[in-house]
Amino acid sequence: MAAAFRKPTAIIRAVKRFACLALFIASPAFAPGNPASFREAGSAFAQTTIYQGATLIRGDGTPAIEDSAFIVQNGTIIRAGRAEDVIARPGAARVDVSGKTVMPTLIDIHTHTGFQKGATYRAENYGRDAIIDDLNRALYFGVSAVVSEGIDPGDAAFKIREDQAAGRLGGARLFTAGRGMGAPNAGPGADTYKGIAYDVTTDAEGRRDVRELAAQKVDFIKIWVDDRNGRAPELSPPLYRAIIDEAHKRGIRVNAHVFYLADAKGLVAAGIDGFTHLARDAEMDDEVVQVIVKRRVVIMPTLQNTERGRNTAPPPSLAAWLNGPARDAIGAELVAKILSAYGGRGAAQASAARERYAILQRSLAKLSAAGARIVLGGDTGLQDDPFGFAEHRELELMVESGMTPMQAIVAATRTGAEYLRLRNAGILAPGNQADFIVLDANPLDDITNTRRIAQIFLKGRSVDRDALRRRLNAAD
């Protein structure tokens, strides 16, 4: 009798499982690539898929694997290597990616979300909708995680972070430093950001502000150490030492905006964790480079904003990309503003800017050769500097400044994931999330091939880039 009753029960359970799976597949909230959510849902994701034939760039700096294969199960890579060595179990789905290149998704450690809306850039744009647009645009261009560095007033960014952690919201994953801090009037420069940063005049104020940010569970603390070309006092060494000390007591790392080499040296001695810019008044000397490497200070080159000044006209390849594949996701009016920022200056002005920019190039080359921890950090999200555009341009300029394409990719994948303490991201290896970009050409041959995106996958699920683009166009 027991056996007789087990069969109907098994059938009922099977029917229930099928009904649940059918409901899941039919649900638009969980359609593959839906920008609203990438939450996994039980056994529906247990299917095994093997991707075969691509050149695989793992993101850890090891040589690329030509004619590779990797197996994804339940959003995780379980095997990866040469196609002849990777065998999937019977019944696995097979995806032929021959002729393509696969690499990890990008991670940008220096961004500012929420102020660009269409071609406008103003304080009143800031809020949940504008932040989500930035995160969706970042994901459209293959960026899976971003850090908003210090100009997040209110709680919009924190609520988005919570929604993403709960699986209620997609887009690039958001990390935030909340409100940064500096000396009075020495915080973020544009009028758009006026009043956001904490003004610090005593070590007691600095420590109090750190405690307030810690209560919000910020991912980093951002400080500005700069006199803003003489318009403001600098955050003095006793003040930034107090801030760094208080943050470290609470396990929070501190990133510093810096302009002068002397300040960079003082900050390294004080235990700074990362620089959101290179020193811009002088080339970094061998002594400070060695200390940066020894103390594992993270470097965000932030080249692409400064680089524009050396141009009298937009570089042709950049104009072709912006007016071609990138145009629909950025918007025609904003593309025109970006391109105009590359022109409008005379040869003498461009030449002077080129000399100033060369300081950054030489410093980055030194740091890279010495083995410094370099990450992708484009200062993305400043005015007319949209997500997606800035990251890919920054990669190009990192290579132009002396890094190899592989070094630039590692900076934008593995090293960024390490700095965010994402233990299962940044490298396409067994045990890690299947977050990857499928490219039509190999960026090791030409780093600008990172722009030639065929598909994007998060946790093994294809991102619906067409839906993202339509959403961005509607928002603009």
Side-chain angles (χ1 to χ4, degrees), residues 408-430:
I409 289 169
V410 171
T413 57
R414 182 192 69 185
T415 312
E418 288 174 348
Y419 198 43
L420 293 182
R421 296 173 177 166
L422 300 175
R423 293 184 176 86
N424 61 347
I427 302 174
L428 300 180

Side-chain angles (χ1 to χ4, degrees), residues 57-117:
I57 301 173
R58 285 169 285 193
D60 59 359
T62 58
I65 303 173
E66 296 186 10
D67 190 20
S68 72
F70 59 99
I71 299 173
V72 176
Q73 186 176 71
N74 201 28
T76 299
I77 296 171
I78 61 171
R79 288 198 67 190
R82 296 180 303 175
E84 62 192 44
D85 298 329
V86 178
I87 309 299
R89 69 187 185 188
R94 296 181 181 273
V95 178
D96 184 357
V97 279
S98 299
K100 306 291 187 182
T101 298
V102 170
M103 64 172 282
T105 51
L106 304 176
I107 295 171
D108 190 347
I109 305 295
H110 184 181
T111 79
H112 303 288
T113 59
F115 293 92
Q116 188 88 48
K117 188 169 182 62

